[in-house]
Amino acid sequence: MYRVDLSLDPKEAAAIEARRNREMERQRRFFNVRNRVMGVDVDALNKQVEEQKLREATERSMEAAYGANQVQYDLVAQMLEEEQAERTRRLARKVQEFREQKQQLKNRREFDLWDPDQLWKEFPADLNNNDPYCGPASLQCFFGEDLDRTTCLRMQQEQFRYSLERQQQEQQQARGDEKYADMLNDQLRLAMDMQATQLAKLEESCRIAMMSTMVNINKAQAAELAEQQRCEHEREQAANLMEIQNQIKSDLLTENPQVAQHPMAPHRVLPYCWKGMTPEQLAAIRKVQEVQRLEKEAQHQAEKALDTKWESQTLLAAQAARELEEQERELCAEFQRGLGSFNQQLAKEQKAQQNYLNSIIYTNQPTARYYQQFNTSSR
């Protein structure tokens, strides 16, 4: 009648299995005489405190070493920054001095183009006939005349010599500046290499110090771990010896059922000393199970009889319903037959009346004269 083989939900089954495993682990931990400790484990707490103190001391030493390294690195970085700033200021000062000494405004070749005193240096009007500001319209000089050709050539040669000397000086100055810049670059590179070497040495010394510190810490931890393992082994050996003595001296390995009886509640037993039920207890349980089986069988028989009765009642109700349906169908058929005969009789009467009206009442057809008289009378 009912399905009892339905599968459980996988999540629910997993949750039940996890709870069962936790309960078994808890029972195993509680009922284990060797590892069970009554009250507070002072040794374990002291061990935890010592481990915490050692860990805090190690962390403080590592933080102190790291802080010292950071301070040293900051000092080195500040020194490098200050040296770089001083080098930049010195180079800027030398560049400014070179500009002030070698690159003056009055020594430039194009100075005459935008000289602020150019107007003051010009010749006055009508100085002589060779005035360059007097053209042909002034009638002061004519084409083909070159009275100052020698002077012009000499001035051009002097200007050319001055330009050549100026170019030679500029090239020598550029080569000197380039050599000086190369020297500064070499010094800067050498200083940077020396600083990198110093930083590498400092980093190596810090790394060696940290490694030595870590080695000492590891040695201390290894010694502590060895001591803990030795203490744990001794404690385990003592516990094993105590357990063997307790097993030998106690009634745990005997078959005496009185050992499992609870001292404060006689109806309860001690789970860790219980050896099983007695034959009398097993017989009583089997007797109760037999009584329960008989009661279950009687209940099953009663349920079966009740189901049979309900089935018979259901069959009788179904049969009565079928009979009622047949009676209803017969009444409907009889009503339909009566209604059909009534409709046929009514149709015959209507047809006879219509024939009477068409054959007797409505035989004369009205003419135009009839309609004319009807219209005259209505006026």
Side-chain angles (χ1 to χ4, degrees):
M1 296 177 64
Y2 302 100
R3 293 185 63 185
V4 296
D5 57 346
L6 297 176
S7 61
L8 294 176
D9 188 6
K11 294 183 179 179
E12 185 177 358
I16 293 173
E17 186 66 23
R19 287 198 297 272
R20 187 182 294 113
N21 294 334
R22 288 197 297 270
E23 182 65 22
M24 292 176 64
E25 182 67 24
R26 188 177 66 85
Q27 292 180 2
R28 191 182 301 111
R29 188 172 64 254
F30 286 169
F31 298 150
N32 192 352
V33 183
R34 179 181 298 177
N35 298 328
R36 187 174 58 194
V37 178
M38 302 299 293
V40 179
D41 192 357
V42 181
D43 296 335
L45 295 178
N46 293 332
K47 179 182 176 182
Q48 292 178 1
V49 172
E50 292 176 358
E51 291 177 355
Q52 182 68 21
K53 290 181 178 179
L54 179 61
R55 185 163 55 252
E56 291 178 355
T58 304
E59 291 178 356
R60 284 196 299 271
S61 62
M62 292 179 67
E63 290 178 357
Y66 181 75
N69 293 334
Q70 289 293 329
V71 171
Q72 188 68 25
Y73 294 156
D74 292 340
L75 292 176
V76 172
Q78 290 178 2
M79 291 171 61
L80 290 175
E81 290 178 357
E82 291 177 357
E83 186 175 356
Q84 183 66 25
E86 181 64 26
R87 190 182 302 110
T88 304
R89 288 194 297 270
R90 188 165 57 251
L91 181 60
R93 191 184 308 113
K94 291 181 179 181
V95 170
Q96 185 64 26
E97 291 177 357
F98 173 77
R99 288 175 179 176
E100 292 177 355
Q101 295 176 3
K102 304 297 182 179
Q103 294 182 351
Q104 295 181 2
L105 185 63
K106 62 183 179 179
N107 295 329
R108 294 187 180 181
R109 287 176 299 197
E110 64 275 9
F111 178 71
D112 56 344
L113 297 178
W114 51 281
D115 187 4
D117 298 333
Q118 184 179 3
L119 297 177
W120 294 96
K121 296 177 182 180
E122 290 181 352
F123 294 100
D126 297 334
L127 182 62
N128 54 24
N129 294 330
N130 296 326
D131 190 0
Y133 295 96
C134 295
S138 63
L139 300 178
Q140 297 296 324
C141 61
F142 300 94
F143 289 107
E145 291 183 343
D146 191 7
L147 301 178
D148 297 331
R149 185 173 183 276
T150 305
T151 305
C152 291
L153 291 175
R154 186 173 60 254
M155 292 177 64
Q156 288 177 0
Q157 290 176 0
E158 291 178 358
Q159 186 176 5
F160 179 73
R161 185 177 60 256
Y162 176 75
S163 299
L164 183 61
E165 291 177 357
R166 183 64 179 276
Q167 290 178 2
Q168 291 177 357
Q169 291 177 3
E170 289 180 356
Q171 290 178 0
Q172 292 177 1
Q173 185 66 29
R175 285 194 295 270
D177 294 341
E178 186 177 358
K179 290 181 181 180
Y180 183 72
D182 294 338
M183 183 184 65
L184 291 178
N185 289 329
D186 294 338
Q187 292 179 0
L188 177 61
R189 193 177 299 107
L190 181 61
M192 292 179 66
D193 293 339
M194 293 178 62
Q195 290 176 359
T197 305
Q198 293 177 0
L199 288 174
K201 291 181 180 179
L202 182 60
E203 185 177 0
E204 183 67 19
S205 62
C206 293
R207 189 179 64 82
I208 292 173
M210 291 180 65
M211 290 295 295
S212 62
T213 305
M214 292 297 295
V215 168
N216 295 330
I217 293 172
N218 292 333
K219 288 182 179 179
Q221 291 180 353
E224 184 180 1
L225 181 61
E227 182 66 20
Q228 292 177 0
Q229 291 178 355
R230 186 184 63 80
C231 296
E232 184 67 23
H233 181 70
E234 292 179 356
R235 194 182 302 108
E236 185 176 359
Q237 292 294 331
N240 293 335
L241 182 61
M242 182 65 67
E243 182 182 3
I244 292 172
Q245 292 178 358
N246 291 334
Q247 294 292 339
I248 293 173
K249 295 178 181 180
S250 64
D251 295 334
L252 182 62
L253 300 178
T254 62
E255 298 296 334
N256 186 10
Q258 300 296 330
V259 178
Q261 190 173 2
H262 200 281
M264 303 300 296
H267 62 282
R268 298 176 61 185
V269 296
L270 299 176
Y272 54 88
C273 296
W274 190 56
K275 299 298 182 180
M277 293 185 294
T278 60
E280 293 80 6
Q281 293 175 347
L282 293 174
I285 291 174
R286 291 193 182 94
K287 183 177 181 181
V288 172
Q289 289 178 349
E290 184 65 21
V291 172
Q292 291 178 355
R293 187 185 65 79
L294 294 175
E295 291 178 355
K296 186 68 176 179
E297 185 176 359
Q299 183 180 1
H300 182 67
Q301 293 294 334
E303 290 179 356
K304 187 175 181 181
L306 182 61
D307 292 339
T308 304
K309 186 175 180 181
W310 275 106
E311 288 179 358
S312 61
Q313 291 290 337
T314 304
L315 292 174
L316 292 175
Q319 186 176 2
R322 285 196 299 272
E323 291 178 356
L324 289 175
E325 289 178 358
E326 291 177 358
Q327 293 178 3
E328 185 177 359
R329 283 197 297 272
E330 290 178 358
L331 291 175
C332 289
E334 185 177 358
F335 176 74
Q336 291 293 334
R337 288 195 297 272
L339 182 60
S341 61
F342 177 75
N343 289 334
Q344 290 177 0
Q345 183 66 27
L346 184 61
K348 288 179 181 180
E349 291 178 358
Q350 290 179 356
K351 186 175 181 181
Q353 186 179 2
Q354 187 67 32
N355 291 332
Y356 173 76
L357 292 175
N358 293 333
S359 62
I360 298 174
I361 303 299
Y362 302 128
T363 55
N364 297 327
Q365 294 292 333
T367 61
R369 184 180 179 184
Y370 172 76
Y371 290 110
Q372 191 174 16
Q373 291 178 0
F374 179 74
N375 292 331
T376 305
S377 62
S378 63
R379 290 177 181 176

